[in-house]
Amino acid sequence: MGAAPDDVEQRVGEIYRDESRRVFATLVRLIGDFDLAEDALHEAFAAALTQWAADGVPANPRAWLVSTARFKAIDAIRRQSRFDASVGDLGERVHQPAPRPEELDEARFRDDHLRLIFTCCHPALPPETQVALTLREVCGMTTDEVASAFLTKNATIAQRIVRGKAKIREAEIPFEAPGVRELPDRLDSVLSVVYLVFNEGYSASAGEAALRPDLTIEAIRLGRILLDLLPDPEVMGLVALMLLHESRRDARTSPAGDLVLLEDQDRTRWDAALIDEGRRLVARALASGPVGAYTLQAAISATHAEAPAAGQTDWSRIVDYYDLLLRAQPSPVVELNRAVAVAMRDGYEAGLELIDAILSRGDLVDYHLAHAARADLCRRLGRGDDARQAYQRALALTQQAPERRFLESRLAEIG
């Protein structure tokens, strides 16, 4: 029996949002080609809008989408083979027996997604290509979002993605998860992918919403799977970091969707269960071996979580953690975050001097959060003109609507 078109459209949209990248991962395993799998995926969802309206939503929508997309890919290969003899191998792969619906259960979809992440993080690819390709093709982030995560140009990211696909095709890199002995060689890139996916969900690089819970939830899911596969201290640290950040999600925006800064959040709305789990993982990671960057960031987040009020935050301990983090992972962004912590420990002037030093040497000049941090310290110091100029610079660089509204409100306060 058919369903109302509006209901079907809503259901298809929900499945696309929640499941499309896992369906895509299974298609890549079955088809062996990124672009063909992507085209077939979209054709299958288009077919679902029509067929489900007539026949109703199937009991196993993901299996239906995989089966339909696979047949769409076969049709595309047949059409292409009339003009291009080089598609023969691909055709043989797609024409393998179709998986039965019962084979496409949650475990298989989960394994396919993680398998594709490890494929994209193969050592044959340069590290920056591994991460960019995985974020775009596996996690569904746009090229703009990936470029924002890397603080680089769209064209640069697009080239990395194209070259990465070509390398996988030319080197015939298998779509499979590595053995336990191979896992450590790919772990850094995989953790980077999961971390950047979470970051895009934690603070969207553009758009009308500040948060994208679909991405944070998916990143945590992948992190938990990795932790089951490899209980490495840095995997523990990353999962802890994501849980501790996620614990504050409900308090980070107002009912209208506006940003609420950490110091102004209602801490009773923080998720105590996630905080407890995150703190336990931080303790395990700190006690398990050499301390890495994710564990140190998680320790910083745990310190915030332990403070019953913003004014009781142990900023000295946070600065100490940032000092260690700068040694483990030196970067201008870490320097910026440390400068803010120093401002809270030693005074706003001390933090402002550190931020000015970063900007004066040419680092983070196009990073809106650097100018927003500078503006905030100038505002607290009563330097209205400097604060106004810094807020205006930050406003010109941000593409996220809630951040724009926040910066505009600060400018209005200064007058």
Side-chain angles (χ1 to χ4, degrees), residues 1-8 48-58:
M1 183 176 178
D6 289 347
D7 293 341
V8 170
L49 286 171
T50 302
Q51 193 161 334
W52 294 1
D55 303 336
V57 178

Side-chain angles (χ1 to χ4, degrees), residues 108 130 153 178 230 237 276 290 295 353 363 366:
R108 175 58 63 90
Q130 295 174 18
K153 297 178 180 177
L230 192 67
D276 288 344
T295 299
E353 288 180 8
D363 288 328
D366 293 325

Side-chain angles (χ1 to χ4, degrees), residues 241-252:
L241 174 63
M242 294 190 294
L243 292 173
L244 289 163
H245 281 336
E246 184 74 356
S247 72
R248 302 197 293 266
R249 188 216 299 171
D250 290 345
R252 292 184 57 234

Side-chain angles (χ1 to χ4, degrees), residues 188-200:
D188 285 348
S189 291
V190 173
L191 292 180
S192 294
V193 166
V194 175
Y195 180 60
L196 289 172
V197 172
F198 183 87
N199 273 355
E200 180 62 28

Side-chain angles (χ1 to χ4, degrees), residues 19-34 37-38 41 45 62 66 69 93 104 107-120 134 136-140 174-176 218 221-222:
E19 309 288 356
S20 62
R21 298 328 290 179
R22 276 183 271 183
V23 172
F24 172 74
T26 296
L27 289 173
V28 172
R29 174 174 61 83
L30 296 173
I31 296 171
D33 183 89
F34 281 95
E38 189 76 45
L41 173 74
F45 271 98
R62 288 186 298 193
V66 169
R93 181 183 181 92
L104 296 174
R108 175 58 63 90
F109 275 103
R110 181 196 72 176
D111 292 344
D112 279 339
H113 204 188
L114 195 62
R115 180 184 292 113
L116 189 52
I117 290 177
F118 275 110
T119 298
C120 293
T134 311
R136 175 66 187 90
E137 298 300 326
V138 181
C139 302
F175 292 92
E176 62 185 22
E218 176 64 9
R221 186 186 72 85
L222 292 171

